[in-house]
Amino acid sequence: MRIAPHLIHPLPVVMPTYGHALKGRFAMWAASLANDLIGFDRNKSNDPHQYLPRGRLIPPEKLKEYVPGYDVHNFSGGVVWHDCQCYNTERLGLSYLLSAADAGADAANYVECTAFLGDAQKVAGIQAKDCFTGEIFDIRAKIVINACGPWVDEVLRKAPKKNSGRRFLPSSAMNIVVRRKLLGSHAAGLPGPYVYRQEGGPVYRGNRILFFVPWRDTTIIGTDHRIYDGNPDDFFPDNMQVESFLDSVNRAYPSADIKREEVSFIHKGLLPMAGANVKTGEVKLEKRFRIHDHIHDDKTDGLITVVGVKYTTHRDVANNIITLVLKKLGRTPPMCRTQDTPVYGGDIDRFEDFLKESLRTSAFNEPITRHLVYNYGSKYKDILSYTKADPFLGETVPGSAEVLKAEILNGVRKEMALKLSDVVLRRTDLGSAGNPGDAALRAAAEVMGGELRWDDRRIQKEIEETKALYPPLN
Ligand SMILES: Cc1cc2nc3c(=O)[nH]c(=O)nc-3n(C[C@H](O)[C@H](O)[C@H](O)COP(=O)(O)OP(=O)(O)OC[C@H]3O[C@@H](n4cnc5c(N)ncnc54)[C@H](O)[C@@H]3O)c2cc1C
């Protein structure tokens, strides 16, 4: 919240209490107290918008108010604590890249590591491929950091020394986005049973907590964790997986009665697991990120592999890696300043004041101005500069009440968008909650195509490829 106040906002979460064991009132109260103690300095900011109250117990009537239609008969009440929610995770990642580029880093996308330079004793860089032109070139470096997530092992197979072992044991993770606001201001963690069948394998049964999180006009529900032993490139939840997950969602919150056609998008990926319960299929995720200096792992210098588990720990991960890199280079690491240094767009003193002032002075209506401030923060006027120069860019993309054509162009000019799917999913909000529709995709492709000189065939190809990212749900 301190460094990206436009993207990270407080989120109250409620969870039912029942029985006298771990989910009982006393245990939950103790857990929320521990949470408050660990985060004792959470209210250091002078921005009232960022205030995170202490956790508290609530009676059953209040639980029902926060989770409309929920049958509270079997519950003794609930516990409420405060967490944070990211408004747009893709733009948070991008903000770091834009900050890094401002500080002198060279960023490149659609560049694949195809081999390593150097030998078994010392890695000296990578051989890279431009994924558009196929051109192969070398990037020399004293230290290479392999931060390829689920692909870390695949990348290590290209390293000069092959006997590196397995660093990432994959499990699949999926959240669904439902085009309905099920809850008011509070997210809810609701217990419920699950049943799923591993393809060609056993049926797993168990109980788990599912989180229902209000996000704009939708609800994000998750997370479905399963054992996965395929290739990282091949993971795409099939109909059976989505339907069995939806079944457990409706068992956890029966009155929500979510229909398949209300599921507009899925967030999916692979996470590293420590192991799984072979009877229940319950996945035990790794608890903490791991950083491997290969000089210790397999006596190869100049290569570091990192396996992250949670986005929320990214700043700590980065701090640890940079410290290690500097030490390896024989330099003394300076004090890390990232906990107080605003990311690109995060230069905001008090968020509500900033928003109010922006709404007062903006030439756009409230939803558009809010959307710009929440996505671009203190840099939102960069988008307005396009609209002043060309009123066509001040129009919203057809089918969207908020996304301006200027954002598409900005994605291409300033944020290295090269594919339509980049702007639809990873630069703007256009398709982050579901397929934005043919008219929106065409309009966005035409703005991009005008800048990147796409012909009609290329525009059509980009539209088809982007649409294909949404099946089987749309
Ligand atoms: C459904 C779901 C919900 C989640 N919810 C949360 C949450 O609520 N809170 C939380 O903190 N975390 C959450 N996470 C976890 C979080 O998203 C991950 O921990 C995080 O994305 C890991 O980041 P990473 O940079 O290590 O890996 P990734 O984000 O996987 O990035 C790896 C990158 O390496 C690139 N790459 C692969 N091979 C090559 C190559 N040969 N050359 C060049 N580049 C390559 C890939 O294209 C990719 O961009 C969730 C994850 C999922 C899937």
Side-chain angles (χ1 to χ4, degrees):
M1 279 200 293
R2 244 191 326 265
I3 63 173
H6 55 309
L7 288 167
I8 311 291
H9 302 274
L11 175 74
V13 187
V14 61
M15 194 185 277
T17 51
Y18 53 93
H20 300 284
L22 284 178
K23 299 290 187 292
R25 284 179 85 69
F26 179 73
M28 284 299 203
W29 169 80
S32 87
L33 183 68
N35 188 41
D36 289 339
L37 289 174
I38 292 166
F40 70 95
D41 60 347
R42 65 192 183 281
N43 289 322
K44 241 171 51 178
S45 154
N46 69 351
D47 184 349
H49 173 76
Q50 299 181 343
Y51 181 74
L52 298 180
R54 291 174 57 173
R56 67 182 201 283
L57 292 173
I58 54 166
E61 313 83 71
K62 204 78 189 156
L63 175 64
K64 190 152 190 164
E65 186 186 316
Y66 291 145
V67 191
Y70 194 59
D71 182 359
V72 297
H73 271 95
N74 297 323
F75 299 104
S76 50
V79 61
V80 173
W81 74 93
H82 281 72
D83 205 329
C84 288
Q85 181 178 36
C86 186
Y87 184 79
N88 185 329
T89 47
E90 286 75 15
R91 287 215 63 85
L92 181 62
L94 199 62
S95 305
Y96 284 110
L97 280 173
L98 291 163
S99 300
D102 263 3
D106 287 322
N109 54 351
Y110 291 102
V111 173
E112 184 186 345
C113 164
T114 48
F116 283 86
L117 306 178
D119 53 34
Q121 276 73 48
K122 174 90 177 83
V123 161
I126 62 162
Q127 185 188 69
K129 184 172 96 179
D130 179 326
C131 296
F132 279 92
T133 62
E135 185 198 344
I136 302 279
F137 54 96
D138 291 348
I139 302 175
R140 303 213 150 262
K142 288 184 180 151
I143 295 180
V144 173
I145 301 166
N146 171 15
C148 289
W151 294 269
V152 286
D153 289 317
E154 202 177 304
V155 169
L156 285 177
R157 278 195 281 280
K158 299 166 184 167
K161 206 163 199 170
K162 301 281 180 265
N163 56 347
S164 280
R166 199 166 184 187
R167 304 295 190 292
F168 192 109
L169 195 57
S171 62
S172 72
M174 172 176 77
N175 290 340
I176 55 174
V177 181
V178 172
R179 274 203 205 275
R180 182 156 41 117
K181 233 176 160 15
L182 297 170
L183 304 162
S185 53
H186 287 56
L190 306 178
Y194 68 85
V195 183
Y196 78 87
R197 181 189 289 277
Q198 197 71 15
E199 206 184 314
V203 175
Y204 294 118
R205 289 169 207 279
N207 287 290
R208 65 179 161 198
I209 305 277
L210 289 179
F211 283 89
F212 294 70
V213 183
W215 183 60
R216 306 173 192 179
D217 292 332
T218 73
T219 308
I220 298 179
I221 307 167
T223 298
D224 186 45
H225 294 285
R226 298 189 185 191
I227 299 165
Y228 180 79
D229 56 10
N231 187 303
D233 288 321
D234 298 337
F235 174 59
F236 202 104
D238 58 16
N239 275 338
M240 209 167 82
Q241 180 163 355
V242 176
E243 265 163 26
S244 64
F245 180 55
L246 194 54
D247 180 59
S248 52
V249 166
N250 280 324
R251 283 168 190 246
Y253 191 0
S255 61
D257 190 21
I258 299 161
K259 304 279 185 287
R260 176 64 201 275
E261 55 275 19
E262 291 183 279
V263 178
S264 58
F265 198 36
I266 45 181
H267 296 147
K268 47 102 187 163
L270 300 177
L271 295 178
M273 66 173 186
N277 183 320
V278 286
K279 276 199 184 138
T280 63
E282 189 195 350
V283 166
K284 291 185 177 59
L285 290 180
E286 292 236 13
K287 287 204 161 53
R288 204 179 132 76
F289 62 87
R290 273 183 286 112
I291 296 173
H292 298 268
D293 182 346
H294 288 263
I295 190 74
H296 304 306
D297 278 30
D298 43 32
K299 299 199 167 37
T300 304
D301 204 4
L303 179 60
I304 294 170
T305 292
V306 55
V307 176
V309 184
K310 285 258 148 202
Y311 196 172
T312 38
T313 59
H314 62 271
R315 218 181 47 72
D316 191 25
V317 178
N319 184 13
N320 276 278
I321 294 178
I322 297 301
T323 302
L324 174 62
V325 168
L326 289 172
K327 280 187 182 155
K328 284 177 75 68
L329 293 174
R331 289 163 53 181
T332 311
M335 272 286 279
C336 177
R337 291 183 293 122
T338 55
Q339 63 175 335
D340 294 314
T341 309
V343 297
Y344 193 90
D347 217 347
I348 295 169
D349 194 22
R350 289 176 167 230
F351 182 74
E352 285 298 342
D353 294 350
F354 181 78
L355 180 62
K356 249 187 230 155
E357 184 57 14
S358 308
L359 289 169
R360 194 182 66 76
T361 53
S362 173
F364 287 96
N365 65 25
E366 177 169 344
I368 293 176
T369 308
R370 266 182 190 278
H371 153 85
L372 291 173
V373 168
Y374 273 76
N375 279 295
Y376 299 89
S378 53
K379 297 284 185 188
Y380 85 97
K381 287 189 179 156
D382 290 359
I383 302 297
L384 300 187
S385 64
Y386 293 95
T387 67
K388 280 183 193 137
D390 182 354
F392 166 77
L393 297 170
E395 293 173 8
T396 50
V397 175
S400 167
E402 300 159 345
V403 177
L404 300 179
K405 290 176 179 165
E407 295 177 64
I408 311 288
L409 193 60
N410 183 65
V412 178
R413 286 196 184 159
K414 299 279 173 62
E415 298 174 345
M416 295 168 78
L418 293 170
K419 307 271 303 165
L420 179 61
S421 54
D422 290 335
V423 293
V424 171
L425 288 162
R426 293 178 288 273
R427 303 297 187 280
T428 75
D429 264 347
L430 200 55
S432 47
N435 186 335
D438 286 357
L441 292 177
R442 175 150 294 277
E446 282 172 358
V447 173
M448 265 191 102
E451 185 70 7
L452 296 173
R453 302 212 183 103
W454 289 349
D455 59 18
D456 284 350
R457 256 183 59 196
R458 174 73 190 269
I459 287 180
Q460 197 51 41
K461 183 170 175 275
E462 292 288 335
I463 292 173
E464 294 309 323
E465 281 178 10
T466 306
K467 276 162 81 169
L469 298 172
Y470 289 98
L473 303 171
N474 284 285

